[in-house]
Amino acid sequence: DHIGVRNRMDPLVSIIGGGGYLRSLKQKLPVEIGEPDRTWIALAAYNVGIGHIHDARELALQFGKNPNLWVDLQTVLPLLSVEKFHKNLKRGYARGLEPVQYVKRIRHYYDILERWNLIGPAITGNTPESASLPSTDAANQLPGYPPLRKHSLG
């Protein structure tokens, strides 16, 4: 397919492909969307589709909200499932609450990892060997993506 994943049952290749797809979604968003909103909106697009994100941005403008801020966009995304609102949008109906919940769960997990990054080494006294990515040539199999480098998480 277009992100280069030949075997989606291979976890490593799927993770690399998913990361590449998320990167491509971030690149498709307007340049005026800054971080961290750009990441949260791209994650919502990963879940619901970039077209529905464009529709939600249009709705945000109609409601006088800032379409470049996740805090505003997450309030209008659920309206994509309400006929009164989605019937006049280009892409139509979407389960708009799902991407809001999806991003909320990711942010919660991210916060847990950030807290662990701060307190984990103090509790354990060191960073476990398992906190490093394995070396692999799998990334080299995906066209257009740089080789995977070994990174330490701690």
Side-chain angles (χ1 to χ4, degrees), residues 50-90:
I50 193 76
H52 291 299
I53 294 300
H54 293 311
D55 283 349
R57 288 174 47 78
E58 183 180 318
L59 270 180
L61 288 171
Q62 291 174 18
F63 282 95
K65 296 181 179 279
N66 187 337
N68 300 326
L69 298 177
W70 174 246
V71 70
D72 284 349
L73 205 57
Q74 71 180 346
T75 65
V76 297
L77 268 164
L79 299 178
L80 297 179
S81 65
V82 178
E83 184 177 10
K84 173 182 172 181
F85 299 107
H86 73 69
K87 71 180 180 180
N88 296 317
L89 296 172
K90 183 175 181 180

Side-chain angles (χ1 to χ4, degrees), residues 1-152:
D1 71 24
H2 74 281
I3 58 172
V5 174
R6 289 172 183 59
N7 178 7
R8 66 182 186 89
M9 300 306 288
D10 180 330
L12 182 59
V13 172
S14 291
I15 289 169
I16 293 168
Y21 179 58
L22 179 61
R23 181 178 34 226
S24 76
L25 290 170
K26 287 177 80 169
Q27 291 170 350
K28 291 178 183 178
L29 292 172
V31 296
E32 58 268 13
I33 300 175
E35 288 294 349
D37 298 281
R38 184 174 206 78
T39 296
W40 308 137
I41 294 169
L43 284 165
Y46 190 99
N47 179 266
V48 76
I50 193 76
H52 291 299
I53 294 300
H54 293 311
D55 283 349
R57 288 174 47 78
E58 183 180 318
L59 270 180
L61 288 171
Q62 291 174 18
F63 282 95
K65 296 181 179 279
N66 187 337
N68 300 326
L69 298 177
W70 174 246
V71 70
D72 284 349
L73 205 57
Q74 71 180 346
T75 65
V76 297
L77 268 164
L79 299 178
L80 297 179
S81 65
V82 178
E83 184 177 10
K84 173 182 172 181
F85 299 107
H86 73 69
K87 71 180 180 180
N88 296 317
L89 296 172
K90 183 175 181 180
R91 287 100 185 161
Y93 173 85
R95 294 186 300 256
L97 184 58
E98 287 184 14
V100 174
Q101 294 170 332
Y102 179 74
V103 172
K104 182 179 180 179
R105 285 191 301 269
I106 291 170
R107 290 182 71 171
H108 178 71
Y109 187 60
Y110 177 81
D111 289 343
I112 290 170
L113 292 175
E114 282 293 308
R115 282 193 300 272
W116 178 254
N117 194 35
L118 292 174
I119 65 165
I123 293 170
T124 64
N126 64 358
T127 302
E129 185 64 30
S130 63
S132 297
L133 291 173
S135 61
T136 181
D137 290 330
N140 296 331
Q141 299 171 7
L142 300 175
Y145 297 109
L148 183 64
R149 295 187 321 244
K150 190 171 185 174
H151 293 291
S152 173

